[in-house]
Amino acid sequence: LLMDAEGFIKIIDFGFAKKLPYRKKGKLLSQTFTLCGTPEYIAPEILLTKGHDKAVDCWALGCFVYALLCGSTPFCFDDQQQIFRAVVQSDKYLAFPKGFPDDAKILIRGLITQSPTQRLGCLKNGLHDVFDSEIYSDFDWAALAARAMPAPYQPPVKDHKDTSNIDQIDDPNEKIPKFKGHQDIFVRF
């Protein structure tokens, strides 16, 4: 996630994204079996290679909301195999710190549900069930979509090329060759 100059969040890097349904060898497929993603956000059906669809995004959203409220994901371990065990047995491992808001627990438990068909966001009302969750009862989604509400923070930006708010990571061993090709490919950037 990145923040634009007005303080609104932008989702970036869809390098592993796959649009569903999709066609493969003339067949229309509604699930994929690709194993990729950040371990702490991977849904159990991915790990169990059962085939998956958009329900994995709802699971990841639950992990993300948890991380925003707690500072770590619900399945945070040093060992990747332990992360995977906890994901597959999330009913046993999902825990909330003392004082965690009940409306947030309801939302997160609904999103982090073992069965994709029972997962919040995948039921009859789709993602409207997420937007209509008690935790968001006072939130104006339409105003957010229209960018009509003030952002809680607006980063100081000099112009559209200002990268001063992005941490610079200097690697003395990294040698990045200068691009010598035509600049035409960057016209829309």
Side-chain angles (χ1 to χ4, degrees):
L1 301 175
L2 291 179
M3 184 181 295
D4 69 14
E6 287 79 40
F8 291 95
I9 299 299
K10 299 283 186 176
I11 301 173
I12 65 160
D13 192 1
F14 290 92
F16 286 123
K18 188 179 279 185
K19 188 175 179 179
L20 294 173
Y22 67 102
R23 290 204 175 278
K24 185 175 182 179
K25 297 181 182 177
K27 289 178 70 175
L28 186 64
L29 304 173
S30 61
Q31 288 190 322
T32 184
F33 292 83
T34 307
L35 175 58
C36 63
T38 304
E40 293 176 44
Y41 293 84
I42 290 179
E45 59 267 30
I46 295 176
L47 296 173
L48 299 171
T49 62
K50 292 181 173 182
H52 55 276
D53 58 16
K54 69 175 184 169
V56 300
D57 297 326
C58 294
W59 175 280
L61 177 62
C63 294
F64 182 64
V65 171
Y66 185 100
L68 289 173
L69 295 172
C70 292
S72 68
T73 60
F75 311 111
C76 183
F77 296 96
D78 291 334
D79 176 47
Q80 184 170 294
Q81 291 305 316
Q82 181 61 32
I83 293 169
F84 292 162
R85 269 191 295 281
V87 166
V88 172
Q89 300 173 18
S90 63
D91 294 339
K92 176 180 159 186
Y93 283 90
L94 181 60
F96 298 94
K98 186 177 180 175
F100 199 85
D102 287 337
D103 54 359
K105 284 182 192 176
I106 292 167
L107 172 65
I108 292 167
R109 279 195 181 112
L111 292 165
I112 300 177
T113 296
Q114 281 292 314
S115 172
T117 60
Q118 305 282 314
R119 200 169 291 154
L120 194 65
C122 304
L123 305 172
K124 185 178 101 178
N125 295 325
L127 290 173
H128 291 289
D129 287 337
V130 175
F131 298 134
D132 295 339
S133 295
E134 184 64 30
I135 193 170
Y136 300 122
S137 63
D138 296 331
F139 192 80
D140 188 349
W141 291 102
L144 175 64
R147 298 171 66 106
M149 64 172 41
Y153 172 78
Q154 188 171 354
V157 179
K158 297 176 201 131
D159 58 44
H160 73 281
K161 292 183 179 182
D162 182 4
T163 60
S164 63
N165 292 300
I166 300 171
D167 292 339
Q168 300 299 315
I169 301 173
D170 296 321
D171 182 352
N173 299 321
E174 185 178 30
K175 302 282 189 242
I176 301 173
K178 183 175 171 121
F179 180 73
K180 295 179 182 172
H182 292 287
Q183 297 295 311
D184 303 0
I185 63 172
F186 301 107
V187 166
R188 291 188 152 156
F189 280 89

